[in-house]
Amino acid sequence: MRYASVTLVLCVLLGLLGCDSGGSSSEMTEPESPTDPLRDLASQQSVRVGAAARAGPLLDGGQYASVLAREFNALTPENTMKWTPLRPSADSFDFSVADQVVAFAEENDMDVRGHTLVWHRQLPNWLTSHDWSRDSLMTILETHVKTVVNHYEETYPNRIARWDVVNEAISGTSRRPSIWQETIGPEYVALAFQWAHEADSDAKLYYNDYGIAGTSDKSDAVYDLVRGLVEEGVPIDGVGLQAHVLTYPPPPTEEAIVRNMQRYEDLGLDVAITELDVRVPLNTDGEDGRPSSEQLDQQADYYARFANACVGAPNCSDFRMWGFTDAVSWIPNAYDGYGAALIFDETYEPKPAYDALARALGESSGDGN
Ligand code: XIL
């Protein structure tokens, strides 16, 4: 029987003592992991398994926090290290919420992926509404990158071993227009890596983007950008493959993902699956807004596909999803008509994707990979 059903039965028997599917904590109803927790399976083969963590429900405690800590040995702050929360004004930093997320990771022995230092979205108004000179914007960016990376290196040494330094700088096959690109110029990418490296020379520094897990024109454009950085001697250590994919049209084949990972290996770079989710079109097939069992099985195959590719690749040791429960997911807001993208449902019941992932992580653990 699944742990959520056990929890439900216990709740009824024990007179509903603090039972709540998404909210308050109760040691009495602490759910058991349905298999060995994913973090145990993954650590047997030196792969981190993680999820994006949203500060609100995480800091509330409750089932969100307990399942996250039970299943994962890594987390990525979903929003709290972006510019808007960290930079209330040009002259100030507010690390209060992000620090609590990192403290949670420390308490639960989880690795934190820093996300993200340079992006075109979630920027504060004071930054985007002003007409900066190139020099002043460069100073602002340098201060931001160095202050944030330094803060974490000093406050939580070695807890953030990897940073998504630059996020989504390619649109289609060219440089994406952004305040950074327009005002500083294309060299903002190399500069950001350089500044991050100066702040923490041990951290692994990544370029991160979507639509680049397999082979495609965009994937090639990112590869060319990254190869250029390597050739220039820019301190870049890896490439994050976000992997926000759909049940249909299907994601890249495992072979294409493996081939893509290999070409970065040939450049001497690591890769990571940084933001996997597999969204499902809902309200199709008369399923009344619920995913069908065919969709869930398809989704499970795709989760396993990415996990197998990462586990098998010599340069992939970081496998993360963009959330873990359908109760807390960016998908319904970002993609109208889609949802159910994660490995636990809204009531923290594991889905077929959970089992497929546990198998993918568990199976290879015996063969010395
Ligand atoms: C998303 C968050 O999940 C949302 O809560 C927020 O409103 C927008 O950003 N690629 C990224 C992530 O690198 O930072 C984005 O996160 C999802 C796409």
Side-chain angles (χ1 to χ4, degrees), residues 242-285:
Q242 290 187 5
H244 296 289
V245 301
L246 300 81
T247 47
Y248 192 85
T253 61
E254 188 174 331
E255 196 221 336
I257 302 167
V258 166
R259 221 179 322 129
N260 192 36
M261 289 176 163
Q262 180 63 46
R263 64 177 171 170
Y264 287 113
E265 163 80 3
D266 296 343
L267 281 183
L269 296 183
D270 283 345
V271 292
I273 303 294
T274 51
E275 305 186 14
L276 178 61
D277 49 25
V278 184
R279 62 186 181 270
V280 177
L282 299 174
N283 285 321
T284 56
D285 307 330

Side-chain angles (χ1 to χ4, degrees), residues 323-339:
F324 61 98
T325 165
D326 293 334
V328 182
S329 165
W330 75 305
I331 291 294
N333 287 333
Y335 298 97
D336 201 22
Y338 288 84

